[in-house]
Amino acid sequence: MSRLLTMKDIWIEGRSDETWNPIINGVDLHLDRGEVLGLIGESGAGKSTMGLAAMGYCRDGVRISKGSVEFDGTELTTASAAVKRGLLGKRIAYVAQSAAASFNPAHKLIDQHSEAPVQHGVSSRAESSRDGMELYEKLRLPNPDTIGFRYPHQVSGGQLQRAMTAMAMACRPDLIIFDEPTTALDVTTQIEVLASIRDIVEQFGTAAIYITHDLAVVAQMADRVKVLLKGDEVETNETREMLANPQQEYTKSLWSVREFERPAKPAVSTGTTPVVSVDNVTAAYGTVNVLNEVSFDIHQGRTVAVVGESGSGKSTTARCITGLLPPKVGGISFDGATLPLSYKSRTKDQLRQVQMIYQMADTALNPRMSVGNIIARPVEFYLGLKGAEKRRRVDQLLEQIELEPSQYYDRLPSELSGGQKQRIGIARALAAEPRMIICDEVTSALDQLVAEGILRLLAELQDKLGLAYMFITHDLATVKAIADEVVVMKDGRVVEQGPKAEMFQPPHHPYTDLLLSSVPEMDPDWLTNLLAERGVDNIGDAAVDKM
Amino acid sequence: MGSILRIILQRLALGVLTLIIVSLVIFAAVNALPGSFATAILGQAATPEAVAAMEQTLGLDKPAVTRYFSWLFAAVQGDFGTSLSQANFASFAGSVADTGVTVADTLAPRFRNTLFLAGLTALIAVPVAVTLGVLAALYRNSAFDRATNIFTLSSISSPEFFMAYVLILFLAVLNPWLPSLSNISDDMTLGERVRTSMLPALTLTLIVTAHMMRMTRAAIINLLASPYIEMARLKGMSPFRVIVKHALPNALAPIVNVIALNLAYLITGVVVIEVVFVYPGIGQLFVDSVKTRDIPVVQACCLIFAAAYILLNLLADVLSIISNPRLRHPK
C-alpha cells in the first residue's frame, strides 16, 4: 500500500486572551491508501483539531505552529488557499458530528451533494445528482430517488448523517475525515450509520480518519488506533492488538471505565410505600398523546433507570412528575399522597421534594451567577437560611460534591470544566434537601472518565442520604452501572420493566433485546457478526419500525 | 402555503385595528393642540362671533366624539372629507363642501411623488447597501470594511440637510450635472423626473444605506461560525461562494426587516429633504396641515404613514417566511 498522508511533528496552538496555548504537542500521524485510522481520546484531547489539520484547515483562532502535513505529495501547511480549495471536497472530504447543523438549512440535500462535484469540475449537475441517488441507495436511505429533494429539516438525524457521508463521497475522495459521526445518534440508529460508512469506505477503497471517544465504535471501524490525551499521543497500534493488549496506563483506564457497576441491592419488601409513584399517566402536547398509560414506582434509596430512544417519552415523564406538564389521565403520588397535577398548585414543600439535574450543565447554570449564589438560591428559597448559616450550608454542599469551597465559591460557571459544572448541578438539587432527584441524561454530554466520576458521586450520595433517583438515559452502559430497576420505554409506552438483573437476562421483550444488542461491544467482529445475524435490511430503525 | 395565507390575513386584520387606534390617537392629539382651525385662519384679532360662525359652518362646533365617528365612517367608505385650508374662504358662509377641494385630491399627487422618490431611492440604496454589506463581510476587518463602515456611519450621523447641501455643492453648483431644485410636475417625462429627483434620492440613499449595509454585514458574520459554513469551506468552496450561497440565504430575514423599516422611513420621514429640494411630497403637506389645524388632511396623512409601516412590515414578515424553508416546507 502506498502512503497517502504524512503528518510530521505537528504542533497546534489556540488563542485565548492574546496568548497562544498548546492544543497538539508534536504528534505524528500517517495513513496509507484505503486504511482507516481511529483517533480516540476525551474532549480536549485535540482529536478534531488534529483531524482538521489533516485537511490543512484550522478553525478561527487556531494555528499550526510547526510541522508538516503532506497529502499525496502536496505540503498543505504552506500551500496557497487556492491549492487547498482544489483538494478540499474533491480529494479530501469531511463528515461532521452533527449533520443537522452541518447541512445548510436553505438548500435541498441533492443541491448540496452536487455542489462540490460541479464547483470542482468533476461532473455535471445532472451526473452528480444521479450519482447522489445511487449513493443514497448504497447507504440504504429510504426513497433514494426522492429524498434528495428534501430540505435538511425534513430528514431524520440518522438519515442526514448518511446523506452527509454520501456527500463526502460525491467526488470519490482519497481521504475522508469522520468527526464523531454517530455521537449524536441513538444506539439503534448508530448501527445503521456505522454499517453504511464501513461498507462504502471498503467499497471505494477510501482512506479514513475516524474520530470518536467511543472505544467500542472505533473497534468496529478502524484498522489502526491512535490514542490522544491533552494533545499528546499516548500510543498507536493495530486495533486488535490495542484492544487485547493496551500498553499505557491511560489506555487501560479508558478500557476499564465500563467496568463500574454497583452491587445489587435486595428487592424492596412488599408493602413499602414508594417515594414517588407514577400511576397510569397519559399526557399530551396539544391533541397528540405522547405518553400512554405509564406506571412505575420509585422507592427510597433506589435508582430507577428509564431507558429508550429519543422521542420515547422519557423526558416527558419527568415533566409530568415535576408538574411542568399536567397529565391528561392518571396521577402522581408522593409518599402515598396524591400530588396536585400542575406545579402551580403544589406547595413549596411538595416542590422541594423533587429536584432535577439536567443534561446540559452548560445551559442549566446561569452564566452570570457565581457557584456560591447558584447553590445558595435554593438554600434560601426552600429552607429560609440566611447569612452565615446559608454560607455554612453552601460550603457543606460543595464539600459533598468534592469541590473545595474556598476555591470554588466565587467562580463563574465559565471557569469550570464540564464535569465540575455537572457537580454544581447536583449540589443545587441537593440544596433543596429533596427525597427524590430526576437525573435527565446527566452524563451523556461528558467523557467516559468524567461521567464515571459523576455516577460514583451520585451512588455515594444515594447511600448517604437515602435519595430516590429517576435516571433518564439512552446509554445502557450507564444503566448497568447505576440502576436498581429498569423501565424501558418506546413511543410513549412502557414496554418492559423490572429489576436490573432480570432486564439484562433473557428472555427480553423484543425491543429491549434490540436495544441491548445494539450497544457496540469492544469485540472488533461485533458489528460484522451482528449484521450477519440480523441481515442488512433488518438493522437499526428498520428493525424498530417492524415492531 | 395555507399557513402563510393565514398569517397574512391575521396581520392584515391586526393592521386595520392598528390603523383605527392610530386614527383615534391622532384625532385626540390634534384636538388637544391649543387653538383651532378657525383661529388659525382668522388670526388672533378675530372676534369670538366670527370664530364661532366659521366653526359652525365647518361642523367644528360638534362634540369631538361625533366628529370622529362621522369622519371614520366616511373614511371607511373612501371619503376622507374636505381639506379645510383649501376651501374657498372668500365665501365661507356658503357650503364648504361644494367649493372645497377633497382631501383625496390634495393628497393623491403628493403621495404619488413621495412614492416615486421612495421607490427611486430604494432602487439605488437597497442593491448598494446589500452589495456593500456582503463585500464588507467577505473582507471583514480589512481596510475596505473599515472605510465602508466609517463612510456610511458618518453619512448617517450628519444632519440630513447638511448631506443635502454637500451634494448640491458638488453635483449641482461646482459641477452642474443635476438640478438642485426638484420641483417635479405631472407633465414631465419619466426620464426628466428621475433626473430632477436624483439629488434628493442620492441624499436619502446616503442616509438609509448605513443601517441596511451594517445589518447585512452583521447578519452574515453572525452565521460564519455555523457548522454548515465550516462544511462549505471544507468542501473547498471559494470565500465569495461561501458568503453568497451559504450565508446570505440564511441571513435574509433580519436584512429584509431592516430594509422594510428604512423604506417606511422613506415614505414617512423625509420632510427635511423635501424642504431643501422643494420636492412636492407628502411630508411638507403634512407639516403645513398641522400648522393650519387642517384636521382631515393631518388624519389622512397619519393613516397613510401608519398604513405604510404596517404594509411594509407585513411584506417583510412574508418575505422572511418565504426565505425560511422550515416555514415554507413544514415536515
Side-chain angles (χ1 to χ4, degrees):
Chain A
M1 268 198 254
S2 65
R3 187 55 53 87
L4 181 67
L5 175 77
T6 313
M7 297 172 79
K8 246 192 237 134
D9 194 25
I10 299 291
W11 295 76
I12 303 178
E13 299 173 327
R15 191 180 51 212
S16 69
D17 300 335
E18 305 298 311
T19 58
W20 290 92
N21 304 312
I23 299 177
I24 296 283
N25 312 311
V27 173
D28 293 327
L29 186 155
H30 64 88
L31 196 65
D32 290 335
R33 286 184 182 276
E35 188 187 22
V36 179
L37 174 74
L39 209 51
I40 61 172
E42 299 172 66
S43 54
K47 314 179 293 276
S48 293
T49 311
M50 193 70 189
L52 290 171
M55 308 179 76
Y57 180 88
C58 288
R59 293 201 164 124
D60 280 346
V62 175
R63 68 177 184 196
I64 301 177
S65 53
K66 197 179 147 205
S68 108
V69 180
E70 193 188 320
F71 173 81
D72 204 17
T74 309
E75 175 56 49
L76 295 182
T77 50
T78 51
S80 72
V83 169
K84 279 196 269 187
R85 279 204 299 275
L87 291 173
L88 291 183
K90 186 180 178 188
R91 300 198 52 206
I92 315 176
Y94 180 74
V95 175
Q97 173 168 5
S98 166
S102 296
F103 269 114
N104 191 324
H107 303 297
K108 292 174 185 162
L109 294 181
I110 199 77
D111 293 338
Q112 302 192 47
H113 181 95
S114 308
E115 186 179 21
V118 171
Q119 293 298 316
H120 287 297
V122 172
S123 59
S124 74
R125 212 183 140 78
E127 283 164 5
S128 61
S129 297
R130 223 177 12 256
D131 178 58
M133 289 167 193
E134 279 168 26
L135 284 172
Y136 290 157
E137 193 170 0
K138 282 203 175 82
L139 288 161
R140 292 192 288 276
L141 278 164
N143 309 317
D145 293 340
T146 55
I147 195 168
F149 297 103
R150 293 173 172 240
Y151 286 90
H153 71 274
Q154 296 172 306
V155 179
S156 77
Q159 292 171 2
L160 275 182
Q161 205 69 53
R162 278 177 278 167
M164 179 161 282
T165 306
M167 184 162 87
M169 283 288 175
C171 294
R172 300 293 184 272
D174 300 309
L175 170 63
I176 301 185
I177 313 292
F178 291 96
D179 193 353
E180 306 247 15
T182 62
T183 304
L185 304 176
D186 284 320
V187 277
T188 50
T189 316
Q190 169 169 283
I191 290 206
E192 276 174 324
V193 177
L194 290 180
S196 313
I197 289 178
R198 205 175 64 169
D199 280 3
I200 203 145
V201 167
E202 266 170 25
Q203 200 171 341
F204 293 114
T206 316
I209 295 179
Y210 196 101
I211 298 166
T212 178
H213 66 273
D214 191 333
L215 300 163
V217 165
V218 95
Q220 313 311 316
M221 307 304 284
D223 304 318
R224 203 152 50 89
V225 177
K226 187 186 282 292
V227 184
L228 293 182
L229 171 65
K230 295 191 178 124
D232 292 307
E233 178 177 324
V234 178
E235 62 178 310
T236 307
N237 212 334
E238 301 298 317
T239 306
R240 280 170 200 277
E241 182 61 27
M242 173 87 93
L243 287 172
N245 189 16
Q247 298 298 314
Q248 301 294 320
E249 279 310 309
Y250 176 71
T251 317
K252 286 179 194 160
S253 78
L254 278 180
W255 265 236
S256 64
V257 164
R258 288 166 172 262
E259 286 159 16
F260 170 58
E261 191 173 340
R262 299 180 68 190
K265 289 188 185 139
V268 180
S269 53
T270 45
T272 326
T273 314
V275 177
V276 165
S277 174
V278 179
D279 183 22
N280 193 30
V281 163
T282 296
Y285 291 121
T287 55
V288 186
N289 277 4
V290 287
L291 285 185
N292 286 298
E293 298 156 16
V294 171
S295 298
F296 58 88
D297 293 340
I298 305 172
H299 287 271
Q300 173 153 350
R302 299 302 166 117
T303 302
V304 173
V306 180
V307 196
E309 310 199 338
S310 43
S312 61
K314 306 180 302 263
S315 293
T316 310
T317 311
R319 288 172 62 87
C320 286
I321 294 175
T322 52
L324 288 169
L325 179 70
K328 238 168 50 174
V329 184
I332 311 291
S333 50
F334 184 85
D335 260 348
T338 310
L339 279 179
L341 292 182
S342 165
Y343 73 95
K344 287 180 201 150
S345 19
R346 293 184 188 173
T347 65
K348 211 185 223 185
D349 196 53
Q350 285 171 332
L351 291 174
R352 184 177 68 79
Q353 301 290 0
V354 179
Q355 293 293 314
M356 277 199 77
I357 309 172
Y358 300 88
Q359 175 174 12
M360 292 297 179
D362 266 330
T363 50
L365 300 181
N366 186 334
R368 295 269 178 189
M369 267 165 78
S370 71
V371 163
N373 282 328
I374 288 172
I375 303 173
R377 166 86 187 135
V379 169
E380 187 175 333
F381 180 76
Y382 285 119
L383 308 174
L385 298 186
K386 295 227 161 41
E389 244 183 311
K390 181 168 83 176
R391 175 69 200 243
R392 242 193 330 274
R393 178 68 185 136
V394 173
D395 285 355
Q396 214 178 353
L397 286 162
L398 279 170
E399 276 161 20
Q400 272 185 341
I401 56 165
E402 296 156 15
L403 293 180
E404 175 55 37
S406 58
Q407 214 183 335
Y408 288 93
Y409 190 90
D410 291 319
R411 288 212 196 172
L412 290 174
S414 55
E415 297 166 307
L416 301 174
S417 72
Q420 288 169 339
K421 280 182 211 165
Q422 199 54 286
R423 282 168 190 260
I424 302 304
I426 295 174
R428 178 173 62 182
L430 289 179
E433 299 183 3
R435 296 274 308 282
M436 172 177 146
I437 297 182
I438 299 175
C439 306
D440 191 353
E441 303 268 13
V442 290
T443 55
S444 60
L446 302 174
D447 289 315
Q448 294 180 46
L449 283 174
V450 181
E452 191 202 343
I454 296 286
L455 292 181
R456 285 185 195 274
L457 174 68
L458 284 170
E460 258 169 52
L461 289 169
Q462 182 169 53
D463 293 342
K464 221 184 293 176
L465 306 170
L467 292 164
Y469 290 145
M470 170 174 162
F471 209 97
I472 297 172
T473 182
H474 67 273
D475 178 21
L476 290 156
T478 309
V479 175
K480 231 174 202 161
I482 198 166
D484 299 308
E485 270 154 83
V486 182
V487 174
V488 182
M489 291 188 71
K490 178 176 184 285
D491 302 334
R493 286 176 193 279
V494 174
V495 295
E496 196 176 7
Q497 58 179 308
K500 176 173 70 174
E502 271 174 38
M503 297 302 288
F504 283 96
Q505 292 296 324
H508 309 293
H509 179 277
Y511 180 68
T512 313
D513 190 47
L514 181 75
L515 277 185
L516 285 174
S517 63
S518 299
V519 179
E521 288 168 18
M522 292 296 223
D523 172 11
D525 297 320
W526 168 80
L527 184 61
T528 315
N529 295 341
L530 184 79
L531 293 179
E533 199 179 302
R534 287 196 198 165
V536 283
D537 295 326
N538 204 19
I539 55 170
D541 288 342
V544 176
D545 289 342
K546 283 180 189 161
M547 284 180 189
Chain B
M1 281 314 207
S3 59
I4 295 181
L5 197 68
R6 204 175 63 233
I7 292 173
I8 295 176
L9 290 177
Q10 230 169 25
R11 293 292 167 86
L12 275 177
L14 276 176
V16 171
L17 189 69
T18 316
L19 282 181
I20 291 174
I21 294 170
V22 166
S23 72
L24 247 175
V25 171
I26 298 301
F27 195 84
V30 176
N31 268 292
L33 287 176
S36 73
F37 176 72
T39 50
I41 284 293
L42 297 174
Q44 302 262 317
T47 60
E49 291 79 14
V51 172
M54 187 165 177
E55 288 191 335
Q56 196 185 358
T57 316
L58 298 173
L60 294 178
D61 55 339
K62 294 189 191 127
V65 178
T66 319
R67 276 185 286 137
Y68 174 72
F69 278 106
S70 59
W71 169 81
L72 186 65
F73 280 120
V76 169
Q77 291 158 31
D79 173 13
F80 287 94
T82 311
S83 166
L84 298 180
S85 55
Q86 305 255 340
N88 182 356
F89 291 111
S91 57
F92 73 79
S95 167
V96 178
D98 291 346
T99 53
V101 181
T102 65
V103 172
D105 288 344
T106 314
L107 271 179
R110 296 294 197 109
F111 187 51
R112 267 202 303 277
N113 290 344
T114 289
L115 284 184
F116 178 74
L117 181 58
L120 184 62
T121 309
L123 277 181
I124 304 169
V126 174
V128 167
V130 173
T131 310
L132 282 179
V134 167
L135 291 176
L138 185 60
Y139 303 110
R140 58 196 170 286
N141 304 329
S142 68
F144 169 79
D145 182 21
R146 291 200 187 122
T148 317
N149 263 308
I150 291 171
F151 178 70
T152 53
L153 273 184
S154 27
S155 59
I156 200 177
S157 313
S158 321
E160 298 174 14
F161 66 86
F162 174 73
M163 296 306 300
Y165 287 132
V166 169
L167 285 189
I168 290 177
L169 179 65
F170 284 106
L171 300 179
V173 178
L174 296 179
N175 306 293
W177 293 331
L178 292 168
S180 63
L181 289 186
S182 308
N183 48 348
I184 63 168
S185 61
D186 284 345
D187 49 8
M188 286 180 170
T189 64
L190 183 66
E192 282 172 335
R193 278 164 166 253
V194 169
R195 199 178 119 76
T196 315
S197 315
M198 194 45 85
L199 266 182
L202 288 179
T203 315
L204 288 170
T205 298
L206 286 179
I207 294 165
V208 295
T209 300
H211 273 151
M212 298 191 280
M213 171 261 163
R214 286 172 65 81
M215 181 52 94
T216 306
R217 177 186 182 276
I220 289 176
I221 287 182
N222 203 12
L223 294 177
L224 291 185
S226 313
Y228 59 83
I229 296 297
E230 179 168 86
M231 192 70 209
R233 290 187 183 137
L234 291 174
K235 280 159 82 179
M237 297 302 119
S238 67
F240 184 74
R241 191 175 166 88
V242 167
I243 296 234
V244 172
K245 188 86 183 172
H246 290 273
L248 190 58
N250 294 292
L252 281 180
I255 298 173
V256 166
N257 269 300
V258 167
I259 290 178
L261 271 181
N262 278 289
L263 292 187
Y265 162 81
L266 288 177
I267 293 176
T268 62
V270 298
V271 62
V272 174
I273 299 302
E274 287 182 9
V275 171
V276 172
F277 292 100
V278 203
Y279 188 87
I282 204 170
Q284 276 201 58
L285 176 69
F286 179 59
V287 173
D288 290 346
S289 306
V290 171
K291 253 190 274 179
T292 57
R293 307 287 187 274
D294 193 343
I295 298 171
V297 176
V298 171
Q299 279 182 322
C301 285
C302 285
L303 281 189
I304 286 178
F305 291 165
Y309 262 100
I310 291 168
L311 282 177
L312 283 167
N313 277 304
L314 175 69
L315 189 67
D317 285 351
V318 172
L319 286 177
S320 304
I321 292 172
I322 292 176
S323 78
N324 184 344
R326 281 169 196 277
L327 299 173
R328 200 170 61 218
H329 305 278
K331 282 196 177 186

